[in-house]
Amino acid sequence: MATPPPDPTPEAVARWFGSRFTRALDLAPLPAPALRFLSGPSLVCRTRLSFAGDSGSQTVDAWRLRFGEVFGPCKGGVRFHPGVDEANLTALAARILLKCAVNGLPHGGAAGGVAVDPRKLGAAGRVALARAYVTAYADLIGGDRDILSPDVGTDAGLMAVMSETLDALRRRFEPAAINGKPPGRGGVPGRHGATARGAFAVLDTLLENGTGPGPAALTGLTIAVQGFGAAGSTFAVEAARRGARIVAAADASACLHAAAGLPVDALVASKAGGRAFSTFDHPGVTVAARETVFTPQADWLVCAALGGAVDAPIAAALRCGLVVEIANGAVDDAGDAVLQTRGVTVVPDVVVNAGGITVSHFEWVVGRTGAPLTAEEVAARLDLRMRETARRLRETATAAGVPLTVAAQLLAIDRLHAALESRT
Ligand code: NAD
């Protein structure tokens, strides 16, 4: 008789879920069958895709994978990026599972992508690739199976193309299968800006900002923002609108500094015109290396660029009291340890950046029910959910005496435990 495989260790699970998860597992252990379930993806489908690019036919590696089909149909992005591979997609899908667990969303984790530089394809090439991706994975995709959404290198326009392709293949409408579509094509209003809106709902609740029902004033607060794309720029605009001073903001090219506060609207206009921060010219604004975003004295640092931005040396040098992890995994494990020793609060990614996935979930509900939502309804529902999760996060952190980063994982483990209890 074959020997059964050894039970997976918490360390094996940490490969995909990270050290915050294993720290939480020490406090709230999961039984062996649950750990086994979490030790790797349930489905990995790798395909060689051929499509017609602008410069002729091209063949690329593509993936779709699922991790944790437990709360409901899996959900995950489609990434077009040269760095896409199976390991990083697996970690991405595991993070989506955690995010769904923490935020009470009825989905498992999924991720997919193509190892390609979309900027080199041209618009027609990107559309052809989006069609080829959906055609290849049509049997896996569906509102009750695996729901696609935009990620790095894909956008609302490509989601519309994917949705049309799937409908044509199925010979029926399947709006719940593809999220992140433009509002005129089955998407919900308010997806743009949902991540920043959700982040403010979380921050207001955690910090008990303000006393009334309206947005809390941030007068006098100073903020540095790393990454000025879709999420970072909308966060900065809202913060400035509430009276905060954005004293530093970085994109991939440079960091802009102004102790009196950057002209945020001018930055947004400059980015919309396709100009990098390194070329920004404005009275009172100085241009420096992008890493200098970590140096100013500021109340908050908002990380909205890439994962791993705050490592141990940067964590030791930061002069802020609170780090907002808009980028997934913005603070690495070593950075986490240093910030905890220094008493710097980290507001964890799986809660603070969940506004996007939450609104994406609303779109799935609209696709299934056919009952549309107004922008006001989307905003109100998002606010309610994010505030509720933030309240539970704060209570868990206080009760367990752990940082918010570990408390978030405790919330996820609690929900996973309940869902996986019956497994043997
Ligand atoms: P984006 O591509 O629109 O913007 C990324 C920004 O980061 C750009 O301004 C880029 O120039 C900048 N950047 C890249 N490398 C940098 C560096 N080393 N230093 C400083 N700036 C750098 O991406 P986005 O949609 O705004 O997402 C930002 C991050 O937030 C990503 O990690 C993403 O996974 C995460 N996130 C985004 C959303 C969302 O709704 N957009 C939701 C959840 C999580």
Side-chain angles (χ1 to χ4, degrees):
M1 207 172 93
T3 326
D7 283 336
T9 59
E11 288 69 33
V13 176
R15 177 172 180 215
W16 305 123
F17 291 92
S19 72
R20 289 176 186 174
F21 192 75
T22 38
R23 282 181 68 191
L25 272 184
D26 286 343
L27 300 170
L30 282 170
L35 283 183
R36 208 175 298 127
F37 178 82
L38 296 173
S39 63
S42 57
L43 176 139
V44 178
C45 191
R46 176 172 178 267
T47 312
R48 295 279 286 161
L49 274 191
S50 292
F51 68 102
D54 282 5
S55 49
S57 173
Q58 241 180 292
T59 302
V60 288
D61 288 320
W63 287 265
R64 191 74 200 162
L65 59 85
R66 295 181 192 159
F67 201 132
E69 293 166 73
V70 56
F71 303 124
C74 290
K75 176 162 175 42
V78 182
R79 180 170 289 198
F80 290 174
H81 188 273
V84 163
D85 63 25
E86 192 174 313
N88 66 41
L89 289 177
T90 307
L92 209 57
R95 191 176 295 270
I96 303 281
L97 173 65
L98 277 186
K99 221 179 273 190
C100 290
V102 177
N103 294 281
L105 300 174
H107 303 292
V114 182
V116 73
D117 185 345
R119 291 168 306 184
K120 293 189 180 153
L121 293 180
R126 289 192 288 274
V127 166
L129 179 57
R131 286 196 199 288
Y133 186 87
V134 167
T135 304
Y137 293 121
D139 288 344
L140 302 181
I141 301 167
D144 292 319
R145 284 179 242 167
D146 183 346
I147 306 144
L148 310 190
S149 49
D151 194 69
V152 176
T154 54
D155 58 15
L158 289 180
M159 290 298 123
V161 169
M162 291 188 197
S163 177
E164 281 163 19
T165 307
L166 189 68
D167 291 350
L169 287 168
R170 295 266 162 80
R171 293 176 178 271
R172 62 168 192 258
F173 287 107
E174 217 181 311
I178 316 265
N179 290 165
K181 304 180 292 297
R185 309 270 286 277
V188 293
R191 171 63 185 89
H192 179 78
T195 300
R197 176 183 277 277
F200 275 105
V202 169
L203 290 163
D204 286 347
T205 308
L206 288 177
L207 304 174
E208 296 178 312
N209 280 337
T211 47
L218 300 177
T219 318
L221 196 87
T222 52
I223 303 180
V225 181
Q226 188 213 22
F228 211 77
S233 66
T234 45
F235 189 99
V237 167
E238 175 63 10
R241 196 177 71 78
R242 292 187 184 199
R245 260 184 300 139
I246 310 298
V247 292
D251 71 1
S253 73
C255 181
L256 305 175
H257 295 262
L262 289 164
V264 172
D265 289 342
L267 300 193
V268 171
S270 174
K271 291 302 272 183
R275 288 180 293 282
F277 277 179
S278 54
T279 64
F280 191 77
D281 187 15
H282 199 279
V285 175
T286 53
V287 183
R290 67 185 187 192
E291 297 77 22
T292 61
V293 72
F294 300 119
T295 54
Q297 178 87 52
D299 295 305
W300 297 357
L301 168 69
V302 177
C303 293
L306 300 171
V310 179
D311 57 13
I314 288 176
L318 285 185
R319 296 195 296 153
C320 66
L322 183 132
V323 176
V324 183
E325 267 192 324
I326 299 287
N328 291 315
V331 180
D332 73 13
D333 291 347
D336 249 351
V338 174
L339 291 178
Q340 198 186 335
T341 313
R342 293 188 57 208
V344 176
T345 301
V346 178
V347 186
D349 51 4
V350 288
V351 174
V352 81
N353 77 14
I357 195 168
T358 303
V359 170
S360 197
H361 161 72
F362 296 163
E363 184 179 339
W364 175 75
V365 175
V366 168
R368 284 165 68 103
T369 60
L373 290 173
T374 63
E376 292 71 28
E377 285 167 335
V378 169
R381 286 182 193 201
L382 175 64
D383 235 54
L384 204 67
R385 289 194 76 106
M386 300 294 290
R387 283 175 187 275
E388 174 54 26
T389 305
R391 257 191 300 276
R392 286 192 298 121
L393 180 68
R394 195 180 52 194
E395 283 163 14
T396 305
T398 307
V402 293
L404 297 173
T405 46
V406 178
Q409 308 292 316
L410 286 174
L411 288 177
I413 288 173
D414 191 43
R415 187 151 179 258
L416 284 165
H417 199 167
L420 297 172
E421 215 160 22
S422 54
R423 290 196 181 233
T424 50

